[in-house]
Amino acid sequence: MTKARRRVAGATAAAFALSAALVGCSGGAQTTIDVPEQVDQSLPAETIASLEEAVTSAMIGSGSPGAIAGVWAPWSGSWVAGLGTQEVGGGAAVTTDMQFRAGLVTREMTCDALFVAQAEGKLDVDDSVVDYVAGVPDLEDVTLRQLCDSTSGIGSHESTLFEMWLQNPERVWNAQELASFGLGQERATDPGEVYSSSDSGYVLLGMALERATQLSAADYFAQYITQPLDLPATGLGSAFYGDAVLEGHLSRKVDGAYDCVEPVNVTSLSTSSGFTDSGAVTDINDLGRYAQALAAESLMPDDTDRFDDPKPPSPQSPSWHTTIGGAFQAGSLVGQNGAVPGYLTAAFADPDTGLTVAVVLNNSAAGSSFIRNLAWQLAAIASKAPAAADQTTPEAGLPWTAEQYQTDLAKRAICAAPAE
């Protein structure tokens, strides 16, 4: 899936605008995101009603009191909304300017930095990990590219550290300490063979990039990603920094059932627990803009081979669902989805049509597949949006329907609507 193949036929480097809120306005050189220009109007009322109904239903099913969603269909319009409240049963209203955890979208950003650093001559993506990270001699056969693709076979640390994170949420974690818990596990596969999600792998990649670039992870995220793409609400560190933050919750099991009435508030969990695997924070407009930049390969050199050899995420995955370069491909969409304590986040975009969906739910208990399927449901709804005046609805469709994922999400629901 090379950069050239992703270009819209006959497209030019026209000015990009997801919506008025997404247009870059800061000083300095900005990266052009080469996708169809966004119609400056709201999506039709009927489409918005269907989108809102889908998100509201997912909020109930996941036990999330709040959600933020953004959908951009360049030929038809856009919809960006905060729904619900900060706490179960009430609290402040959720608004679209709130910052939240970007979750596994961070992986895509870390891989962006890897390929930009290669373009600058600071490393080769096929270098061994041991060239940049000390104390891991048994990883000589693992490359930086394999860490990005999550085909290294290295284990994960989340299951070991999860309860520690909740018990001491404000602790700032050292990246090497995080990775050590994954490295202590037996390798799942030989390097390069199959996809096997590894949070420790992305942490190791982040450490290698610090060595290669001589920059902190926060600084190379800024230099390589957030500044060129003008993402002021997006960054990597140890805590939120925005004026408004979406509260994050986690329903725990009590007597075999999820407690959907009194979930644990985990907003204060240090984002250092995610580092370059899942530690970035963002807001909905930045997330939408980044999703399009990732899909259009806006930060990549023209000869990039980042997405050339995709693999199925699992043996059961349909042929249209693959993964490579820190991202998933789902039909014509490119993006990521995942769960971190307190937040379910997903963002996908189609580089040819510009269709983009970004969504976050503020209870993470339902898991990453739940938010992925919600994003795909929203994409299916938006893909059918009628064209605005002087516009044409894209011919290409998605290999699933909104009804399919509506049914799936109902089956995955962990909470029921409260009794009236």
Side-chain angles (χ1 to χ4, degrees):
M1 188 163 35
T2 63
K3 192 171 186 178
R5 274 181 269 158
R6 289 228 183 117
R7 295 301 185 211
V8 179
T12 62
F16 165 73
L18 275 174
S19 67
L22 284 177
V23 176
C25 57
S26 66
Q30 299 297 311
T31 297
T32 298
I33 303 176
D34 185 9
V35 295
E37 189 171 355
Q38 173 72 46
V39 170
D40 187 15
Q41 66 179 41
S42 296
L43 284 164
E46 184 177 352
T47 302
I48 290 176
S50 296
L51 293 168
E52 187 168 322
E53 181 181 359
V55 176
T56 302
S57 178
M59 290 166 59
I60 294 171
S62 64
S64 300
I68 309 174
V71 177
W72 297 268
W75 67 92
S76 182
S78 61
W79 175 68
V80 181
L83 294 87
T85 57
Q86 291 277 47
E87 303 287 343
V88 173
V94 172
T95 56
T96 58
D97 62 338
M98 289 178 170
Q99 219 173 28
F100 51 84
R101 292 281 295 272
L104 301 193
V105 173
T106 310
R107 295 181 173 186
E108 298 173 321
M109 297 177 178
T110 303
C111 291
D112 285 339
L114 171 66
F115 282 86
V116 173
Q118 175 177 251
E120 291 184 346
K122 295 180 178 177
L123 52 78
D124 189 294
V125 297
D126 294 314
D127 286 342
S128 170
V129 178
V130 301
D131 294 342
Y132 304 95
V133 180
V136 288
D138 58 331
L139 298 185
E140 186 173 1
D141 58 343
V142 175
T143 69
L144 302 179
R145 184 195 297 271
Q146 289 164 350
L147 295 180
C148 168
D149 292 343
S150 209
T151 58
S152 66
I154 295 171
S156 292
H157 56 260
E158 179 180 0
S159 60
T160 303
L161 296 177
F162 193 84
E163 293 300 327
M164 296 185 200
W165 291 340
L166 300 186
Q167 291 167 11
N168 190 5
E170 296 181 8
R171 173 181 171 177
V172 176
W173 289 83
N174 175 276
Q176 190 166 7
E177 185 178 14
L178 292 173
S180 69
F181 286 92
L183 292 172
Q185 300 175 20
E186 184 177 353
R187 285 206 215 170
T189 63
D190 290 332
E193 286 191 351
V194 299
Y195 172 82
S196 180
S197 181
S198 171
D199 48 18
S200 294
Y202 288 101
V203 169
L204 282 170
L205 180 56
M207 294 167 59
L209 286 166
E210 287 187 321
R211 175 71 180 274
T213 63
Q214 295 298 297
L215 295 169
S216 70
D219 285 345
Y220 67 68
F221 262 54
Q223 181 172 315
Y224 291 160
I225 303 156
T226 63
Q227 290 175 0
L229 293 178
D230 191 20
L231 307 177
T234 304
L236 189 72
S238 61
F240 291 105
Y241 60 86
D243 293 331
V245 174
L246 179 67
E247 298 285 316
H249 304 275
L250 174 65
S251 289
R252 308 304 302 270
K253 280 190 172 182
V254 179
D255 297 329
Y258 285 96
D259 183 352
C260 299
V261 177
E262 296 183 354
V264 180
N265 189 311
V266 292
T267 313
S268 63
L269 175 64
S270 171
T271 58
S272 67
S273 61
F275 191 53
T276 49
D277 170 69
S278 58
V281 299
T282 190
D283 70 8
I284 201 66
N285 284 310
D286 272 16
L287 186 59
R289 183 171 172 83
Y290 176 74
Q292 287 212 336
L294 184 281
E297 299 180 30
S298 301
L299 295 173
M300 296 295 98
D302 288 336
D303 60 349
T304 183
D305 62 354
R306 174 176 173 181
F307 299 105
D308 280 0
D309 186 24
K311 290 178 167 54
S314 75
Q316 295 76 37
S317 298
S319 60
W320 49 260
H321 187 205
T322 59
T323 180
I324 194 74
F328 291 109
Q329 293 81 43
S332 58
L333 301 178
V334 183
Q336 254 290 2
N337 57 268
V340 296
Y343 305 90
L344 298 177
T345 310
F348 288 86
D350 181 331
D352 289 342
T353 68
L355 174 63
T356 304
V357 296
V359 61
V360 59
L361 299 174
N362 68 343
N363 187 330
S364 58
S368 61
S369 294
F370 191 92
I371 194 67
R372 176 199 67 196
N373 292 357
L374 173 60
W376 291 355
Q377 181 188 11
L378 298 179
I381 293 170
S383 71
K384 305 299 183 182
D390 300 323
Q391 298 291 318
T392 302
T393 303
E395 293 182 5
L398 297 169
W400 64 80
T401 66
E403 292 75 17
Q404 176 183 342
Y405 282 109
Q406 179 183 11
T407 300
D408 180 271
L409 288 166
K411 293 178 180 177
R412 294 179 183 272
I414 62 170
C415 299
E420 295 184 1

